[in-house]
Amino acid sequence: MTKIHSLSGQQRLLQLARNQFGSGVMPADNATASNTNQQQGHFADKHQQLAARSGAASGQAGLTLAQRAERRLQMQRERQQHNLERVMTLALEYCPEHVSAQDIDPDWFQQFCELILDISNHSMQQLWAKILAGEIATPGKFSLKTLHTLKRMSYKEAMALQQAANLSCRPRQDPTARIYFGYIHRPSLWRVLTGRNRAVLNLSQFGLSYTQILSLVDIGLLHSSEIESGELPAGHQINWQYQQLSVNGSITSKNVVLQYYKYTASGAELLPLLSTQPNQQYLDALKLLLADVINFA
């Protein structure tokens, strides 16, 4: 593939589209929206709509079984082509002006195209479009493992990832995001007697249920076990970046262990694609929970 170093992000995407399926990408204004609201109807109406989409609608009595099968396959190919072109069109909206001079890996792009053929949900298409735009800007940014993980993700799981993202922060010294939820004081006789050796935050109060956490673990976006920081000494400085907010403090006693959920490599790659909003109630509750062991500035 010939490299053209002066291409913008959108020009690079249009070139990829022409090479992949022989035509350009429709302008966003002319593209058919895939998230059209459907009117509520009776069960029979919805059943007929689904049957029509599957290619098994009634009214084909004059066709042979082979002809009906061919019609279904043709409808499937058209739907897949529509999905492919829709993601390409959406990617134009996210392409930066300046991109790497390095070309996108053709094998990566081929697998990307195969994986999006059956993605019809508009929100999921947007995620795939952002991935393509990010890969054009910085080839190698998204691994094939991450693509296959996203392929397995349902819209419900994508919403769980969004909720998790809203509660995620990054320590300044570690770029991997995490979700803090509690602490442990390594046992001492006094703490065993008083019972004040552990505190845990219920994340479901802030939109992230334990069921959602398990689903993110199951598809490989969160590590399967809760992570512990290791014992932090008294005076250890805490510097977290929570969305646009800086959270600073210092450990006030020895033998403190912070607990959190940590993203896998695939989860860390997908997280920046989401638009997040800080949850002030979560931040306030976390600070209150940790007030016994951390003095926040």
Side-chain angles (χ1 to χ4, degrees):
M1 186 181 294
T2 303
K3 294 184 179 180
I4 303 177
H5 301 297
S6 61
L7 292 180
S8 68
Q10 291 192 352
Q11 290 170 328
R12 184 67 59 82
L13 176 57
L14 292 170
Q15 183 186 64
L16 285 170
R18 283 194 297 270
N19 292 340
Q20 180 66 21
F21 46 89
S23 65
V25 177
M26 292 186 299
D29 291 339
N30 296 330
T32 303
S34 61
N35 62 338
T36 304
N37 294 327
Q38 296 184 355
Q39 295 181 351
Q40 292 184 347
H42 297 294
F43 175 84
D45 296 332
K46 292 188 176 182
H47 179 271
Q48 287 182 352
Q49 291 173 1
L50 290 174
R53 287 171 56 189
S54 71
S58 59
Q60 302 184 57
L63 302 178
T64 66
L65 182 63
Q67 288 173 329
R68 296 198 299 274
E70 181 60 31
R71 173 178 168 78
R72 178 181 58 80
L73 291 174
Q74 178 61 28
M75 292 178 63
Q76 180 186 39
R77 288 191 292 268
E78 291 177 359
R79 183 168 58 250
Q80 290 177 334
Q81 184 67 20
H82 172 78
N83 292 339
L84 177 62
E85 294 183 10
R86 184 58 182 161
V87 171
M88 294 291 172
T89 298
L90 288 170
L92 287 172
E93 302 176 14
Y94 305 115
C95 277
E97 182 63 27
H98 301 289
V99 298
S100 170
Q102 179 184 353
D103 281 335
I104 192 170
D105 181 2
D107 293 333
W108 185 97
F109 184 62
Q110 180 62 36
Q111 290 203 43
F112 175 89
C113 291
E114 292 294 327
L115 290 170
I116 64 175
L117 290 177
D118 295 312
I119 305 298
S120 300
N121 180 276
H122 183 68
S123 295
M124 297 303 292
Q125 287 178 340
Q126 288 180 310
L127 276 179
W128 284 96
K130 289 179 180 180
I131 284 180
L132 179 57
E135 188 70 15
I136 291 172
T138 311
K141 184 174 184 178
F142 296 98
S143 67
L144 288 173
K145 181 178 180 180
T146 296
L147 297 189
H148 286 278
T149 298
L150 183 57
K151 173 68 174 180
R152 294 171 50 209
M153 189 188 303
S154 67
Y155 178 70
K156 185 176 181 180
E157 289 163 339
M159 291 298 97
L161 180 60
Q162 178 67 69
Q163 292 293 342
N166 289 337
L167 305 184
S168 300
C169 67
R170 291 176 174 82
R172 300 272 175 81
Q173 65 275 17
D174 185 348
T176 305
R178 53 192 65 178
I179 306 169
Y180 287 99
F181 65 86
Y183 73 87
I184 297 173
H185 244 135
R186 290 305 186 200
S188 66
L189 179 59
W190 181 82
R191 296 194 180 282
V192 170
L193 293 175
T194 60
R196 298 189 55 169
N197 65 330
R198 178 172 181 152
V200 175
L201 198 63
N202 183 2
L203 295 178
S204 64
Q205 299 177 57
F206 312 103
L208 183 63
S209 68
Y210 189 63
T211 300
Q212 290 176 311
I213 292 172
L214 291 179
S215 71
L216 295 177
V217 169
D218 184 58
I219 61 175
L221 298 180
L222 287 178
H223 285 287
S224 58
S225 58
E226 301 169 353
I227 308 295
E228 296 183 356
S229 65
E231 294 186 11
L232 301 175
H236 179 83
Q237 296 299 303
I238 298 295
N239 303 111
W240 297 338
Q241 188 67 35
Y242 177 60
Q243 317 295 343
Q244 294 80 35
L245 305 175
S246 294
V247 180
N248 303 301
S250 60
I251 302 294
T252 56
S253 58
K254 61 182 181 179
N255 301 328
V256 172
V257 175
L258 300 180
Q259 293 181 294
Y260 54 88
Y261 295 105
K262 189 174 183 179
Y263 290 90
T264 62
S266 293
E269 287 182 10
L270 293 176
L271 208 59
L273 302 177
L274 304 175
S275 299
T276 56
Q277 295 292 333
N279 188 321
Q280 191 62 49
Q281 289 183 327
Y282 162 73
L283 183 59
D284 291 343
L286 182 64
K287 285 184 174 181
L288 182 62
L289 181 84
L290 298 177
D292 287 341
V293 295
I294 298 177
N295 180 28
F296 289 101

